[in-house]
């Protein structure tokens, strides 16, 4: 099978991670945590997730001329990602994220955007050839809106489906939402976009209706261990998660979105794509870190095959 061409426009960070018994409260200092450095950034995470899930991926991003930038580009290249459209910024450092991870697997993240905050519409236009023949454009919100607006405009011009992961949460113009084919917020992000507090399936449906009324064609609200709620046109349904023991939820949403893009790019039905993305995200939370936690295609397929074999009906002899 030919790999679908996935274009990702977004951020690249270096994550500095401390594991603790719990997330510190405001003004509190906790000792005894384990420290690690890992590759991250939502754009880069989604690019790696798509590449490992079977996509032919190009990343449009910006990093600094520093040690983090020096390490990032060759590392992404080793993942099979096309890195010719990653710019080196002479005025800003590479992005950095500081992450606390609790024993429960929950996390708290602060990001210094650095060069990510300088990704421009001109950077996107320089990658114009990558839009031709792309199976999907993937975007997030760790880079400036003018760059994302330009990417969305170019995607529409080239008839490329747009998958938007609206994280970190912020209000978005209707002019952008109308161009989005699939949006993948979690509960917090859905509430920020719609004002609807997503506390269960019925509230997820309400939030999805608001997003569709603003022009988004398909809404997928991820609800962690509960799975995902899908509003596909007039059709709504739930896709359950796969039960796992979570140790770190960092990048789970990025893994979901990157894996989803590949299956959509392969022309699979949306329900199949969401199931695949749920499996990828489930595997990611069983491991620490952002990019180090991202599974490969064979692992995702194996988990789904195991789950299907357990739930298949027994035939009577």
């Amino acid at each position: 099978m030919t790999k679908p061409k996935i274009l990702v426009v977004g951020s690249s960070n270096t994550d500095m991670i401390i594991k603790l018994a719990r997330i510190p409260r405001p003004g509190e200092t906790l000792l005894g945590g384990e420290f690690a450095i890992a590759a991250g950034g939502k754009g880069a995470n989604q690019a790696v997730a798509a590449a490992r899930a079977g996509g032919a991926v190009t990343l449009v991003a910006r990093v600094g001329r520093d040690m983090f930038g020096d390490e990032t580009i060759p590392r992404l290249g080793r993942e099979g990602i096309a890195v010719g459209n990653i710019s080196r910024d002479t005025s800003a450092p590479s992005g950095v994220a500081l992450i606390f991870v609790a024993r429960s697997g929950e996390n708290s993240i602060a990001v210094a955007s650095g060069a990510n905050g300088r990704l421009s519409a001109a950077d996107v236009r320089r990658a114009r050839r990558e839009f031709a023949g792309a199976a999907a454009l993937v975007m997030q919100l760790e880079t400036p809106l003018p760059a994302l607006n330009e990417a969305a405009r170019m995607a529409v011009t080239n008839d490329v489906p747009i998958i938007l992961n609206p994280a970190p949460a912020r209000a978005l113009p209707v002019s952008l939402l109308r161009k989005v084919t699939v949006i993948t917020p979690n509960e917090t992000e859905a509430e920020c976009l719609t004002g609807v507090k997503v506390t269960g399936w019925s509230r997820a449906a309400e939030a999805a209706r608001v997003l569709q009324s603003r022009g988004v064609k398909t809404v997928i609200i991820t609800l962690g261990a509960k799975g995902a709620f899908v509003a596909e046109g007039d059709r709504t349904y739930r896709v359950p998660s796969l039960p796992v023991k979570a140790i770190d939820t960092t990048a789970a949403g990025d893994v979901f979105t990157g894996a989803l893009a590949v299956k959509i790019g392969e022309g699979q039905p949306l329900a199949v794509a969401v199931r695949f993305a749920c499996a990828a995200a489930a595997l990611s939370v069983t491991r620490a870190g952002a990019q180090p936690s991202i599974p490969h295609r064979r692992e995702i397929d194996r988990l789904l095959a195991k789950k299907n074999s357990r739930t298949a009906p027994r035939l009577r002899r």
Side-chain angles (χ1 to χ4, degrees), residues 91-105:
S91 300
S94 298
V96 173
L98 305 180
I99 304 175
F100 293 139
V101 180
R103 190 175 295 147
S104 65

Side-chain angles (χ1 to χ4, degrees), residues 111-147:
V111 177
S113 295
N116 293 312
R118 290 165 55 84
L119 186 70
S120 68
D123 292 326
V124 174
R125 285 192 292 272
R126 280 192 288 270
R128 60 187 176 277
R129 293 181 181 177
E130 302 300 334
F131 285 83
L137 166 67
V138 177
M139 304 190 300
Q140 338 72 37
L141 301 179
E142 283 187 333
T143 47
L145 276 178

Side-chain angles (χ1 to χ4, degrees), residues 97-289:
L98 305 180
I99 304 175
F100 293 139
V101 180
R103 190 175 295 147
S104 65
E106 294 302 308
N107 61 57
S108 176
I109 304 173
V111 177
S113 295
N116 293 312
R118 290 165 55 84
L119 186 70
S120 68
D123 292 326
V124 174
R125 285 192 292 272
R126 280 192 288 270
R128 60 187 176 277
R129 293 181 181 177
E130 302 300 334
F131 285 83
L137 166 67
V138 177
M139 304 190 300
Q140 338 72 37
L141 301 179
E142 283 187 333
T143 47
L145 276 178
L148 303 184
N149 285 329
E150 182 65 7
R153 184 193 68 78
M154 294 172 69
V156 170
T157 298
N158 288 273
D159 199 26
V160 177
I162 299 170
I163 302 173
L164 175 63
N165 177 227
R170 68 165 101 163
L172 293 174
V174 172
S175 59
L176 176 59
L177 291 173
R178 285 175 179 163
K179 296 181 177 72
V180 173
T181 311
V182 180
I183 196 167
T184 61
N186 63 18
E187 303 104 307
T188 302
E189 293 148 7
E191 180 180 357
C192 177
L193 288 171
T194 67
V196 177
K197 187 173 182 61
V198 179
T199 54
W201 299 110
S202 62
R203 299 286 278 176
E206 184 178 345
R209 285 193 294 271
V210 173
L211 287 168
Q212 287 182 313
S213 73
R214 295 176 184 170
V216 179
K217 297 174 183 63
T218 297
V219 180
I220 304 172
I221 300 178
T222 58
L223 292 98
K226 295 178 183 177
F229 176 87
V230 182
E232 184 182 2
D234 294 333
R235 180 187 177 207
T236 62
Y237 52 93
R238 308 173 191 176
V239 177
S241 182
L242 284 76
V244 294
K245 180 176 175 54
I247 66 167
D248 183 358
T249 60
T250 303
D254 298 332
V255 174
F256 180 96
T257 299
L260 179 78
V262 171
K263 276 295 185 180
I264 289 175
E266 291 176 353
Q268 294 292 324
L270 186 63
V272 172
V274 175
R275 180 69 167 161
F276 181 83
C278 282
L283 284 168
S284 75
V285 303
T286 66
R287 305 163 182 172

Side-chain angles (χ1 to χ4, degrees), residues 62-66 87-94 114-115 118:
R62 184 172 280 269
V63 298
R65 288 192 176 274
D66 50 30
S87 303
R88 301 299 298 270
D89 197 302
T90 58
S91 300
S94 298
R118 290 165 55 84

